[in-house]
Amino acid sequence: MTSDPAAQWATTALFGALTAYSLWRLVAARYLFARTGHLFHLGMNLVMVAMVWPWWARLPALPQVAYFAAGAAFFAGAAGWFALDVRVASRYRSSRCQTTNAVMMIAMVWMLAVMVRHTGGIGTAAGAAHSAHAAAPAPPDPFTLVGGAALVVALAAGGLLFLVDLVRYRREHDALGRTGTDLLAGALMSLGMAATCGLMLVG
């Protein structure tokens, strides 16, 4: 994905912290729905850390694609459920938030597809002699350019909306609480992934 040490360590620090947060929320969650969402975010953050290092190329890509495709379906279903049943939704637990989560999962599938295209082999993500950093870059194609640009815009917009919700929440509550920290984590995930997709487009 990138060979710039600054970008590698910044991504590792950001998504490493988000991994710890997702793990904490997964353990603390009391309901299956919440646990499932935090589980998908945990996997997403772990893979985001792995993607920026050469050893990611030794990991099998197919299970990752299946995992994030399932995550996209889960969050898309949640978005539809919240849109149809306002009783389970709230300003800070809305269809829009779930849609942003679904976009994050779709972005993971897109990044995996682009990186596998550069390294070869969906089953293994690459052979031992081929890494995401060593492979010769292929010319950009419409899937990469159009899909990546759309994801960058959607992720950036979703991250900013999370921040708007966070500001509103802080105005209404004295403490940050789990809802506030979830909004902050969502903003960091979405904006961090927007930056990562952008790096893949220009790199």
Side-chain angles (χ1 to χ4, degrees), residues 23 25 71 91 100 106 118 159 162 171-173 177 188-189 192:
L23 180 59
R25 292 291 283 120
R91 180 185 298 178
T100 301
I106 294 170
H118 282 251
F162 269 123
R171 288 175 178 173
E172 297 171 1
H173 299 82
L188 293 174
M189 288 180 202

Side-chain angles (χ1 to χ4, degrees), residues 109-128:
V109 174
W110 176 84
M111 284 189 280
L112 286 164
V114 170
M115 292 179 72
V116 166
R117 180 175 177 269
H118 282 251
T119 58
I122 187 114
T124 60

Side-chain angles (χ1 to χ4, degrees), residues 37-128:
H38 293 307
L39 179 63
F40 281 122
H41 281 148
L42 175 62
M44 182 189 78
N45 291 322
L46 284 170
V47 173
M48 285 297 294
V49 171
M51 273 184 169
V52 297
W53 299 103
W55 51 264
W56 173 86
R58 297 183 177 89
L59 301 178
L62 187 57
Q64 298 177 66
V65 171
Y67 182 87
F68 295 117
F74 170 80
F75 286 118
W81 179 34
F82 284 12
L84 293 174
D85 191 348
V86 295
R87 293 173 298 175
V88 301
S90 70
R91 180 185 298 178
Y92 308 112
R93 190 170 177 261
S94 64
S95 176
R96 175 177 55 75
C97 292
Q98 301 304 320
T99 299
T100 301
N101 288 328
V103 172
M104 292 185 205
M105 297 293 135
I106 294 170
M108 293 302 296
V109 174
W110 176 84
M111 284 189 280
L112 286 164
V114 170
M115 292 179 72
V116 166
R117 180 175 177 269
H118 282 251
T119 58
I122 187 114
T124 60

Side-chain angles (χ1 to χ4, degrees), residues 26-44:
L26 173 63
V27 172
R30 292 179 294 175
Y31 302 104
L32 180 61
F33 173 83
R35 287 177 180 170
T36 304
H38 293 307
L39 179 63
F40 281 122
H41 281 148
L42 175 62
M44 182 189 78

